[in-house]
Amino acid sequence: MQIAVLTFDGFNELDSFVAAAILNRLRGQGWEAHITAPTPRVTSMNGVTIERQQPLDFAAKADAVIVGSGIKTREIAADPLMLGRIRLDPARQLIGAQCSGTLLLAKLGLIGDLPACTDLTTKPWVIEAGVEVLDAPFVAHGNVATAGGCLASQYLAGWIIARLAGTAAAEEALHYVAPVGEKADYVSRALAVVQPFLVPEEVARTA
C-alpha cells in the first residue's frame, strides 16, 4: 500500500509524523507512508524544515491519502491553483483529513453535506464552508474520514490500517506505539473509536 501524507508549509508535526509512523509499522507487508508536499522542502509551524519524500501529484496515485493540517491551511484553501493540484478520488482511495485538513476536503467538494470533525480553531472556517462539525474526534463516511485534535491522527492511521489490512493489524500497530503500562486500554479505546465505521468483513479480516 502506498500512502500520501499531505504536508504543507506551516504543517503540524504531530499530524504528519504520528500518522506516517503508525502506518509505516506495516512496512514489512509492503506499506509505505510518504511525506508528500508541493515543494521540495517544507517548514513546520515550529520551524522544523524537512525534505519531502514524494511530490504533490503522488497523491493521485496513492492507495490512501491523509491531508495534514497546519497554520497556513486557510491560505491554501483560498488558493484555486493549489487546490487544483490536489487530485483525490474517494471511489478508489481512502481519504482522511486531520484538523484543518478538513477545510481542504470541504473546499475540494469531498465532504458535501455530511458532518465532519476538525479542531476547535478550524471549526468556524469549516462551518463557514457549509459543513456541520461534530463534537467528536473521528468520523468516516464511506472512504472519507475526518479527525479533530492533533492526537486524533492515531484514529486516521488506525482506520486506514483496519480498512486495508484488518483490525488485527491495526491493533498490532497501535499497540506498538501505545504507552507502556497502558497498552491494552489505549488500543481498546482507539479501536472503539474506529470500529463503528468499519464493515463486518473489515473487522474480521486478519493482517
Side-chain angles (χ1 to χ4, degrees), residues 118-206:
T118 190
D119 65 283
L120 298 181
T121 299
T122 310
K123 180 177 178 179
W125 308 335
V126 174
I127 292 173
E128 185 180 43
V131 176
E132 176 190 353
V133 175
L134 299 174
D135 183 21
F138 177 87
V139 69
H141 304 285
N143 287 345
V144 178
T146 53
C150 299
L151 294 180
S153 53
Q154 63 180 311
Y155 302 135
L156 284 176
W159 174 74
I160 289 174
I161 295 172
R163 285 289 310 269
L164 299 178
T167 53
E171 180 177 355
E172 183 177 350
L174 292 168
H175 187 273
Y176 182 87
V177 302
V180 172
E182 300 177 354
K183 289 186 179 292
D185 290 342
Y186 185 99
V187 171
S188 177
R189 180 173 179 176
L191 289 179
V193 171
V194 170
Q195 282 185 327
F197 306 101
L198 305 176
V199 296
E201 55 266 32
E202 291 165 344
V203 174
R205 187 188 306 137
T206 57

Side-chain angles (χ1 to χ4, degrees), residues 11-20 45 98 150-151 153-154:
F11 71 94
N12 184 317
E13 302 94 333
L14 289 172
D15 294 358
S16 292
F17 295 155
V18 171
M45 60 191 296
Q98 176 78 32
C150 299
L151 294 180
S153 53
Q154 63 180 311

Side-chain angles (χ1 to χ4, degrees), residues 37-115:
T39 55
R41 292 180 179 81
V42 285
T43 300
S44 77
M45 60 191 296
N46 292 306
V48 178
T49 299
I50 62 170
E51 294 187 4
R52 71 183 180 190
Q53 295 172 293
Q54 294 287 351
L56 193 57
D57 60 5
F58 171 74
K61 300 175 286 187
D63 300 294
V65 178
I66 290 179
V67 183
S69 72
I71 58 175
K72 297 184 179 181
T73 306
R74 202 176 186 191
E75 298 173 27
I76 297 166
D79 183 346
L81 292 179
M82 181 61 75
L83 290 177
R85 295 178 60 189
I86 306 172
R87 292 176 288 112
L88 307 178
D89 181 4
R92 185 186 62 80
Q93 300 170 303
L94 294 185
I95 300 169
Q98 176 78 32
C99 294
S100 63
T102 299
L103 179 62
L104 294 184
L105 290 194
K107 292 295 186 178
L108 290 168
L110 296 174
I111 295 178
D113 59 0
L114 297 171

